[in-house]
Amino acid sequence: MNYIDIHSHVLPCIDDGAGDMETALEMLRMAQAEGISDIIVTPHYTSGRFRADSRRLQEQLDKLREKVSEEGIPVNLYPGTEVYYRGGLEEKFESGELCTMNGTEYVLVEFSPMEDYMHIRAAVDDLFGMGLHPILAHVERYQCLCKSPQYLRELKNMGCEVQGN
């Protein structure tokens, strides 16, 4: 069975993931050995810390794809971003500075583990209003959702997707 990984920090020298090309290739070999055939690379986009814009992401992705081909690693790679939610994201998406999941309307979004539920819910509404379809990254980290599972059901009923580690 083949799996698709939609949350990966395998691009080298972009964020806190792979520190170099060889580490990235080793990560991909391990993923392939586990049955993963496709990976959406999702470097962090966090104001003030990691700011991998779409141009830089695509450059690194092209380099990694080339190495993957040379090494014969049978894993397909696609662009994406793990976006730390904050105001003003609409213009970043509209300008093309931020990538969605392989050019679709889906966007991987994260929050602080201590974030208030009403903020997460409002953000999900905001993203839908932008024409985006949010996927909550590492949903098991959000204390408000762990303490009150009905909140997670509410988000799912709104159409929000979730990703767990």
Side-chain angles (χ1 to χ4, degrees), residues 63-128:
K63 289 177 188 176
L64 183 57
R65 283 177 172 159
E66 184 178 325
K67 285 292 200 181
V68 163
S69 178
E70 289 173 10
E71 297 284 324
I73 303 170
V75 175
N76 301 305
L77 302 170
Y78 308 94
T81 308
E82 180 183 10
V83 178
Y84 192 90
Y85 184 83
R86 63 175 180 76
L89 289 176
E90 186 168 14
E91 57 198 45
K92 303 278 186 202
F93 282 109
E94 286 177 358
S95 71
E97 184 176 337
L98 289 176
C99 293
T100 60
M101 305 292 272
N102 195 29
T104 68
E105 73 275 8
Y106 289 89
V107 60
L108 187 64
V109 61
E110 74 171 320
F111 299 89
S112 164
M114 305 300 288
E115 194 62 71
D116 175 76
Y117 173 69
M118 293 310 292
H119 177 76
I120 293 174
R121 189 182 188 294
V124 166
D125 275 337
D126 187 40
L127 291 164
F128 275 122

Side-chain angles (χ1 to χ4, degrees), residues 8-11 14-15 41-45 50 52 57 80-83:
S8 174
H9 298 281
V10 70
L11 277 184
I14 293 281
D15 61 8
V41 299
T42 53
H44 291 285
Y45 186 92
F50 301 112
L57 184 150
T81 308
E82 180 183 10
V83 178

